[in-house]
Amino acid sequence: MADIKVIGVLGSGQMGLGIAQLAAVAGISVVLVDSSDSALQKGMQGIRSSLQRFVKKGELTQEAANDTLAKVKHTTSLKEMSSADVIIEAIVENEDVKKHLFSELDRIVKPHTILASNTSSISINRLASATRRPHQVIGMHFMNPPPIMKLVEIVRGSATADGVFATIKALAERFGKTVIRSQDYPGFIVNRILMPMINEVFYTLYTGVATKEDIDCGMKLGTSHPMGPLELADFIGLDVCLSIMKILHHGLGESKYSPCPLLVQYVDAGYLGRKSGKGVYSYH
Ligand code: CAA
């Protein structure tokens, strides 16, 4: 594996802060960048409280938690990414915004730097096309919450170099994750399967088959899911679920991927799940 001394993480939301934490726990210096200072403060607080959960369980000493936190430098300046060997982007799921960022990063970072995206469904080839280094662009998709979930889905674009794939696979393994590989198709593996199920669950609720509680209980106790799928949709974010369904629908062109009107209605109303205090359930 190429020597990775510094990892740049873009975006200090739930996924970005979790990825920054994983890198710091692995002993790598992290530069965490977000455009908003308050988002960065919230992100650092998220890392602190997640580390404390491991300290409480005796899986990490307080000293190791402090050392880990000290490895994460946070800033609003994108230029600070120039020191990174690998960048993992975890900003909003919007293709144009990501492409713009990738083309800016391409100018700022070192020639050998790998640009990885935590995108859950956007084409790696299209992100790569915004740069002059498509062979160094790759998908590195973590599951939420990154410190706990054991999987990383790696997505190769058509141009991704073998050495870049090997470096990112070794990095994910250093984070303690199991790697699966996907071709660059809408939703990759996990969301290609998970999101149509969540969408179908919304149809089940929409058409009055059962209450939300019974639907979730059915899947939790009936199929051993850790969370009911409606609870999970709130956890992921209903806006994220909707945007992935739209990508599946548009990219695969089949009516079975058409987003459920109830999901659309919740998002239109600003009911985005846990993060907004209300989704299918209330969190006040
Ligand atoms: N940091 C550190 N530890 C955490 C944590 C975090 N952010 N979140 C949870 N934990 C730990 C808790 O400390 C607890 O540890 P112990 O059991 O050892 O005490 C354990 O995880 C369980 O947490 P809780 O007791 O708080 O709650 P829970 O039992 O409901 O578990 C959960 C929470 C781990 C999220 C579990 O409900 C779960 O696995 N849910 C399914 C999550 C899932 O499917 N994620 C994938 C979503 S899809 C995706 O991410 C792809 C995409 O692109 C949309």
Side-chain angles (χ1 to χ4, degrees):
M1 177 171 83
D3 194 17
I4 299 173
K5 293 202 173 70
V6 180
I7 291 189
V9 177
L10 271 159
S12 62
Q14 197 62 31
M15 298 307 290
L17 73 88
I19 296 166
Q21 178 179 332
L22 285 168
V25 168
I28 304 170
S29 295
V30 178
V31 182
L32 178 62
V33 174
D34 199 294
S35 54
S36 138
D37 210 29
S38 65
L40 280 171
Q41 296 305 334
K42 214 172 145 195
M44 292 305 292
Q45 187 48 44
I47 297 177
R48 221 169 273 127
S49 57
S50 175
L51 288 171
Q52 278 318 118
R53 292 169 89 153
F54 291 107
V55 171
K56 245 189 206 157
K57 287 190 277 186
E59 290 175 13
L60 201 67
T61 63
Q62 188 60 56
E63 198 189 356
N66 295 343
D67 289 351
T68 300
L69 207 57
K71 285 204 176 314
V72 185
K73 174 178 167 189
H74 57 93
T75 171
T76 52
S77 165
L78 194 63
K79 289 207 176 83
E80 301 279 329
M81 285 296 180
S82 59
S83 63
D85 303 299
V86 170
I87 295 202
I88 307 175
E89 167 276 313
I91 64 163
V92 64
E93 277 295 278
N94 176 303
E95 186 176 321
D96 290 339
V97 177
K98 282 191 199 284
K99 271 183 165 169
H100 179 71
L101 183 68
F102 268 62
S103 82
E104 261 192 277
L105 284 170
D106 191 32
R107 280 192 290 272
I108 293 171
V109 301
K110 295 183 276 200
H112 74 263
T113 300
I114 294 174
L115 301 180
S117 175
N118 178 56
T119 180
S120 51
S121 57
I122 294 171
S123 161
I124 298 305
N125 279 328
R126 289 210 290 272
L127 297 182
S129 74
T131 74
R132 292 160 304 172
R133 61 178 81 201
H135 50 289
Q136 283 159 249
V137 176
I138 193 161
M140 188 182 194
H141 181 213
F142 293 79
M143 306 295 131
N144 192 14
I148 294 293
M149 302 302 283
K150 300 275 177 250
L151 185 79
V152 169
E153 186 173 40
I154 298 186
V155 187
R156 288 184 75 150
S158 304
T160 309
D162 290 346
V164 168
F165 172 77
T167 298
I168 292 301
K169 179 172 181 286
L171 183 63
E173 287 167 353
R174 189 167 164 191
F175 292 170
K177 307 302 180 192
T178 295
V179 163
I180 55 173
R181 325 161 182 214
S182 173
Q183 298 296 324
D184 188 22
Y185 286 107
F188 315 132
I189 301 171
V190 172
N191 282 324
R192 172 77 178 262
I193 298 164
L194 177 66
M195 286 304 157
M197 186 200 74
I198 286 179
N199 200 45
E200 194 58 32
V201 167
F202 273 92
Y203 271 113
T204 310
L205 185 63
Y206 178 56
T207 53
V209 173
T211 63
K212 53 182 183 280
E213 291 83 6
D214 278 359
I215 292 170
D216 273 352
C217 183
M219 295 304 285
K220 268 204 308 203
L221 301 189
T223 64
S224 283
H225 285 206
M227 283 173 160
L230 291 167
E231 199 187 350
L232 179 61
D234 274 356
F235 180 66
I236 293 168
L238 300 189
D239 53 338
V240 176
C241 294
L242 178 59
S243 111
I244 297 172
M245 279 316 295
K246 284 182 178 166
I247 287 169
L248 291 179
H249 192 213
H250 181 255
L252 300 167
E254 288 184 48
S255 60
K256 68 176 177 179
Y257 299 112
S258 169
C260 173
L262 183 62
L263 174 60
V264 176
Q265 197 181 55
Y266 275 126
V267 174
D268 284 348
Y271 301 163
L272 306 183
R274 277 200 198 177
K275 63 185 166 192
S276 70
K278 179 158 176 44
V280 179
Y281 296 95
S282 267
Y283 299 90
H284 294 301

